Amino acid sequence: YFVILALTIVFTYVFIVVCRKILQQLFKRTSIIEEKKKETIESVVKNTSRYLFATIILIAAIKPFVVDLKEVIVAGGIIAAVIGFGAQKFINDIISGIFMIFEGTIKRGDFINVNGEPEGGTVEELGFRIVKIRLINGKLVTISNGEIRKMVNGSVEKRRIFESVIVSFHQDRVL
């Protein structure tokens, strides 16, 4: 049992690492996707692969102790439905995160203000459930994706800069 479980852990880990390396090499060799999107996709793949790894190991660990795995999966589905009613906030965070990532609302490295807060920061990590923002003062803020109601992205392509220049009344007009 332990040998099979160890082999499952090793093969799953190697498979996930190889997939991540292939994705990194693909991004290095192509210039179709901009750098911020590459970093965002890599971050999402990293987080998702952790959950996938844990799920595969959990199933491999439970399998020898259960006569019929289908019954456990059905029971797990019923329990998941019951928990789902209690985990609506979690599901809301996940769905909001999926839309933010795939719509490209924010990317890793963007400067954003969230929910009308006066202090903004740079997106350090973007996942399906949370966003980590490094504020200007150096503090790291973690916000659930479902809590983000209004977001101002300061890193979008078009930007205006207003600067006032004080010129003496007697200054020559030719510069």
Side-chain angles (χ1 to χ4, degrees), residues 70-85:
K70 290 178 187 175
E71 293 175 5
V72 174
I73 292 174
V74 169
I78 294 170
I79 292 170
V82 171
I83 292 173
F85 288 114

Side-chain angles (χ1 to χ4, degrees), residues 124-139:
E124 283 198 356
E125 189 175 328
L126 177 62
F128 284 129
R129 197 178 70 76
I130 60 169
V131 175
K132 291 184 179 179
I133 303 168
R134 178 74 61 184
L135 298 178
I136 295 173
N137 63 10
K139 294 179 181 177

